[in-house]
């Protein structure tokens, strides 16, 4: 091999060595660049994750703060102004101070509480602004939307409460509505007649405000005028002024008690017995009672039990008689009403004056020849059977039949 060939071989080998080194360097550089790209991508992804986390945390923090603010806002007392519109001349008007106290005990903060009297300039502004028809009234202004549902009525920028029950003052006329005048029309000659003033006490308990009670004797000129004008047929009675009609629902139920006249007066016509019937000029409801016994039946229940029961019906007694069933008068009653069991009781026709008695009597007896005859004697205890001439015990224990008694 020539020197030239040897030189070429060395150059070729040197070139190959150099090429190999360059290839290795190139591969090392490519590997290094790939690592940098991966690192860069990782760092970008990490940055994105950090940004997302920061955004999420900030949003969560804001959401928590918002909810906290909402909760604080919900629990924050409503800032209100309270105006109590009153009529200084109506001392009998309904008292709204308990309602005011209830409002103040709620979750509110009163910025202003003020009484506004009718007739003042402030009242003249408030009444039309909030369409107030009745006084006393309450007007709430301010943060009324924070209040829970209420019976107050939304009017403009305020909540308004007006009384449903009298007495109150009409803001349009200044008239006090619901002060009732009661005229009691009595028959002073009837000492046994029902005390009609009991109705007045019941009316007042039911919330009717009776401001004036006037007593009138039926025999006076005023009494006769009332009887003629209102065609009154029973005494005692009561004439109530038209203010009665201001109370809710009274006109619907009054037909059970009386009539409402063209002038608005309420006339009580269902008088409790005893009362005087002006058509017959007699006292109705003094019930005559006949007690029928059998004297030889010592174990029979006491006939006076009937009196106690009748007292529970509010019955007032007229003449009261007691007969032995074996006496002539007793036998006459036994025969007249076909009575077979004693003790018992017979009421005369005045029992018809007591509607409750009439309504239940068929459960315990009969009404015949206009008399009330008690027949269910076994419900009260031991009795005497006039047909079998023996005392009958209604007790479950022991014997049911005693020996015959003549």
């Amino acid at each position: 091999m020539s020197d030239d060939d040897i030189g070429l071989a060395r150059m070729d080998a040197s070139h190959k060595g150099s090429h190999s080194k360059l290839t290795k360097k190139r591969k090392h550089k490519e590997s290094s660049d790939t690592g940098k790209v991966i690192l860069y991508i990782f760092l970008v992804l990490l940055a994105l994750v950090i940004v997302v986390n920061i955004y999420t945390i900030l949003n969560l923090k804001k959401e928590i703060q918002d909810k906290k603010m909402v909760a604080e806002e919900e629990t924050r007392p409503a800032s209100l102004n309270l105006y109590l519109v009153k009529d200084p001349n109506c001392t009998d008007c309904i008292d709204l101070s308990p309602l005011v106290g209830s409002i103040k005990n709620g979750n509110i903060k009163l910025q202003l509480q003020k009484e506004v009297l009718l007739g003042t300039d402030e009242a003249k502004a408030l009444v039309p602004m909030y369409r107030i028809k009745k006084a006393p009234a309450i007007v709430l202004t301010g943060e009324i939307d924070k209040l829970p549902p209420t019976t107050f009525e939304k009017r403009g920028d305020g909540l308004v409460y007006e009384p449903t029950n009298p007495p109150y003052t009409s803001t349009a006329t200044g008239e006090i509505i619901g002060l009732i005048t009661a005229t009691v029309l009595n028959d002073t000659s009837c000492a046994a007649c029902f005390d009609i003033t009991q109705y007045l006490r019941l009316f007042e308990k039911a919330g009717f405000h009776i401001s004036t009670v006037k007593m009138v004797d039926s025999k006076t000129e005023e009494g006769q005028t009332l009887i003629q004008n209102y065609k009154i047929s029973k005494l005692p009675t009561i004439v109530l002024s038209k203010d009665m009609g201001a109370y809710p629902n009274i006109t619907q139920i009054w037909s059970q008690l009386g009539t409402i006249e063209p002038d608005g007066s309420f006339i009580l016509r269902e008088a409790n017995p005893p009362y005087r019937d002006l058509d017959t000029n007699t006292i109705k409801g003094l019930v005559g009672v006949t007690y029928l016994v059998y004297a030889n039946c010592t174990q029979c229940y006491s006939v006076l039990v009937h009196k106690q029961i009748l007292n529970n019906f509010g019955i007032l007694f007229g003449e009261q008689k007691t007969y032995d069933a074996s006496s002539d008068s007793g036998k006459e009653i036994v025969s007249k009403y076909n009575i077979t069991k004693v003790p018992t009781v017979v009421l005369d026709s005045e029992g018809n004056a007591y509607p409750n008695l009439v309504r239940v009597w068929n459960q315990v007896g009969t009404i015949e020849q206009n008399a009330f005859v008690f027949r269910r004697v076994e419900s009260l205890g031991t009795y005497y059977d006039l047909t079998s001439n023996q005392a009958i015990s209604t007790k479950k224990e022991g014997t049911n039949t005693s020996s015959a008694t003549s």
Side-chain angles (χ1 to χ4, degrees), residues 85-316:
V85 182
K86 296 178 67 174
D87 177 7
N89 298 317
C90 185
T91 56
D92 293 313
C93 277
I94 189 168
D95 181 13
L96 294 185
S97 57
L99 181 55
V100 171
S102 177
I103 294 170
K104 292 170 69 175
N105 287 333
N107 186 29
I108 69 161
K109 181 179 180 181
L110 275 185
Q111 300 293 338
L112 174 68
Q113 179 180 348
K114 188 173 185 180
E115 281 193 1
V116 179
L117 302 181
L118 290 181
T120 63
D121 291 339
E122 192 170 8
K124 291 175 182 178
L126 276 175
V127 167
M129 181 183 299
Y130 295 105
R131 305 190 303 280
I132 299 171
K133 297 178 181 178
K134 305 171 185 176
I138 295 173
V139 179
L140 295 176
T141 63
E143 295 180 322
I144 59 174
D145 292 334
K146 285 182 61 63
L147 296 176
T150 175
T151 56
F152 284 45
E153 183 180 344
K154 180 85 184 307
R155 298 181 188 174
D157 64 348
L159 291 174
V160 180
Y161 175 84
E162 292 181 325
T164 54
N165 287 330
Y168 55 78
T169 299
S170 167
T171 58
T173 65
E175 181 184 4
I176 298 174
I177 307 297
L179 297 181
I180 302 168
T181 297
T183 302
V184 178
L185 188 59
N186 271 316
D187 178 2
T188 53
S189 64
C190 180
C193 280
F194 177 74
D195 179 12
I196 201 74
T197 59
Q198 292 184 35
Y199 273 95
L200 298 181
R201 291 190 284 273
L202 289 175
F203 289 149
E204 288 178 331
K205 285 183 179 180
F208 297 92
H209 192 95
I210 298 175
S211 59
T212 305
V213 178
K214 186 178 181 181
M215 309 298 291
V216 177
D217 187 343
S218 61
K219 294 180 178 60
T220 64
E221 183 178 350
E222 184 179 2
Q224 289 297 308
T225 299
L226 288 171
I227 290 170
Q228 292 172 13
N229 288 348
Y230 296 118
K231 297 180 175 58
I232 292 170
S233 60
K234 298 176 183 178
L235 294 175
T237 190
I238 302 174
V239 178
L240 299 160
S241 64
K242 65 180 181 180
D243 293 272
M244 190 84 169
Y247 291 81
N249 303 321
I250 186 61
T251 55
Q252 285 84 356
I253 65 173
W254 190 257
S255 59
Q256 302 173 35
L257 299 172
T259 59
I260 303 174
E261 299 301 307
D263 64 358
S265 297
F266 287 69
I267 313 298
L268 183 67
R269 297 196 183 273
E270 292 302 317
N272 277 38
Y275 60 84
R276 181 176 291 280
D277 186 330
L278 294 179
D279 294 332
T280 60
N281 199 29
T282 57
I283 305 300
K284 297 291 185 181
L286 288 176
V287 182
V289 183
T290 299
Y291 302 103
L292 196 62
V293 300
Y294 195 77
N296 290 338
C297 183
T298 56
Q299 64 266 52
C300 285
Y301 73 85
S302 172
V303 76
L304 294 181
V305 169
H306 290 284
K307 186 172 185 178
Q308 296 171 7
I309 295 171
L310 294 171
N311 280 332
N312 291 337
F313 280 90
I315 291 173
L316 271 73

